[in-house]
Amino acid sequence: MKTDKLFYRIFLNQPGLLAELLPGLPPDCQFDYSAPVIKEQEFRHDGILTPVENDTNLPIVFLEAQMQTDTDFYGRYFAEIYLYLKQYKIIRPWRGLLIIKSRRHDLGSEIPYQYQLDNQVQRLYLQDLLHQNPLSPNLALLQLIILPKTKTVQAAQNLLKSSKGQAEFRQKLDLVEAILVNKFPNLSLEEILKMLDLKAADITQTRFYRDVFQLGRQEGEQKGRQEGAQEGEAKLIIGQLKRRFGVMTPNQETQIRTLSVPMLEALGEVLLDFINPTDIDTWLSNQENLK
């Protein structure tokens, strides 16, 4: 899920990339993102991009990222699509966009789905980007995900230097940060800042920095930096869970507020997989048993 969420963040912040990969879409078309559950089979879509405009000629896009071999992938992907179309009574066309790491990954038989794969679904193989030059800025951003770590930093710096104006720089920096944090999980954001050879003022103004760190630092002004970071992260997680399920029990909130920062980060990575509020209790109970 961690990599999947990274892709949807990229596509929502770079709408031109979606139009670049799916010919026929207006380059300025805006989409909303969701990750709905298909109740009948408890299938979960990684992400669905729905046009903000009411124009029913614009397609809904089923976006999926697949980074490893999965021989059930195609069957599951198309089953999820058609169950969703039925359950939510969709009346607009649909398109598929698959971000796949390598052509070597076995994703199951294509034969039953050949028409859809040839006509409605666009497949982008990330490793192909390693051998393409030059790349558009949008595709160069995706290339960062697959580049060898030894080449990633220089490519990221070049991508940021190509920005035209501060607004574009901030937008690219926000996404580059998210990619590098995902790619270098053992590095702090400050260490990544140093890698990119940026000033602190550059990085602290991005949405990624504010989303991840600002709440913790605001709390830290009152109760100390470490304690504030923990409370800020807990507050962020509780807010996400309330938006997902509507309400939480006082006991659930209390337990989450006592979690360490690493455990809160782990919870943040899996909460989109929760189907109902009882999954919160199950996860918390499992963490308690691991102590």
Side-chain angles (χ1 to χ4, degrees):
M1 287 298 298
K2 185 174 183 179
T3 306
D4 298 336
K5 288 184 286 186
L6 173 61
F7 280 111
Y8 307 128
R9 184 189 189 113
I10 291 171
F11 277 93
L12 285 180
N13 283 277
Q14 298 288 107
L17 174 57
L18 197 63
E20 186 173 337
L21 295 175
L22 292 178
L25 285 183
D28 58 349
C29 185
Q30 298 293 315
F31 288 83
D32 189 20
Y33 165 72
S34 61
V37 173
I38 302 299
K39 297 178 183 178
E40 297 165 44
Q41 299 293 329
E42 292 192 349
F43 286 149
R44 178 180 298 279
H45 288 281
D46 279 352
I48 294 176
L49 296 168
T50 305
V52 175
E53 296 182 19
N54 292 324
D55 184 355
T56 56
N57 292 315
L58 294 173
I60 186 171
V61 179
F62 294 91
L63 176 61
E64 193 98 6
Q66 185 62 28
M67 299 292 109
Q68 58 192 4
T69 292
D70 180 352
T71 56
D72 291 328
F73 175 78
Y74 284 130
R76 185 176 64 253
Y77 175 68
F78 287 105
E80 290 169 354
I81 288 175
Y82 286 106
L83 281 172
Y84 180 88
L85 295 175
K86 172 183 177 294
Q87 183 170 311
Y88 291 93
K89 304 184 187 306
I90 302 301
I91 60 171
R92 64 170 71 241
W94 69 268
R95 299 284 299 275
L97 179 57
L98 300 179
I99 310 297
I100 303 170
K101 183 177 181 180
S102 171
R103 293 180 182 271
R104 295 193 300 270
H105 291 329
D106 183 2
L107 303 182
S109 175
E110 300 181 11
I111 295 174
Y113 319 107
Q114 200 64 61
Y115 179 82
Q116 290 89 341
L117 289 170
D118 290 343
N119 295 278
Q120 289 180 280
V121 177
Q122 184 75 28
R123 287 176 284 187
L124 173 67
Y125 295 93
L126 291 179
Q127 288 192 340
D128 288 357
L129 299 179
L130 295 176
H131 312 293
Q132 297 178 17
N133 189 44
L135 291 173
S136 70
N138 282 327
L139 292 179
L141 189 67
L142 291 182
Q143 188 192 54
L144 287 181
I145 297 170
I146 199 69
L147 272 177
K149 291 184 177 181
T150 54
K151 298 182 179 180
T152 299
V153 174
Q154 184 61 56
Q157 291 176 344
N158 293 340
L159 186 61
L160 293 174
K161 289 177 182 177
S162 70
S163 301
K164 299 176 181 178
Q166 281 298 307
E168 182 178 331
F169 174 82
R170 300 292 185 197
Q171 185 181 52
K172 285 185 178 178
L173 177 57
D174 179 67
L175 296 172
V176 167
E177 287 172 13
I179 292 171
L180 295 188
V181 166
N182 180 77
K183 196 162 186 173
F184 300 97
N186 296 324
L187 296 182
S188 68
L189 195 59
E190 286 74 14
E191 289 173 312
I192 290 175
L193 178 154
K194 186 176 181 180
M195 288 169 56
L196 294 174
D197 193 25
L198 297 174
K199 299 177 182 179
D202 290 328
I203 204 167
T204 56
Q205 295 303 310
T206 63
R207 191 184 76 177
F208 178 81
Y209 184 92
R210 294 196 300 269
D211 287 350
V212 176
F213 292 97
Q214 190 178 52
L215 285 175
R217 293 196 174 185
Q218 288 174 344
E219 294 290 335
E221 292 176 0
Q222 299 176 356
K223 299 183 179 181
R225 183 173 181 178
Q226 182 175 359
E227 181 182 359
Q230 188 276 339
E231 291 190 8
E233 186 73 17
K235 182 177 178 181
L236 181 62
I237 294 296
I238 290 170
Q240 290 174 325
L241 288 169
K242 284 184 175 179
R243 286 193 295 273
R244 183 163 179 76
F245 299 116
V247 295
M248 293 177 61
T249 67
N251 184 54
Q252 287 172 334
E253 289 195 35
T254 298
Q255 286 183 273
I256 289 174
R257 292 185 189 279
T258 63
L259 296 176
S260 65
V261 171
M263 293 180 71
L264 288 168
E265 291 174 347
L267 177 56
E269 288 300 325
V270 300
L271 64 83
L272 285 179
D273 294 326
F274 293 169
I275 296 174
N276 55 61
T278 60
D279 290 335
I280 304 174
D281 295 320
T282 301
W283 188 91
L284 291 169
S285 177
N286 289 339
Q287 304 311 302
E288 187 66 28
N289 292 334
L290 292 175
K291 291 182 179 180

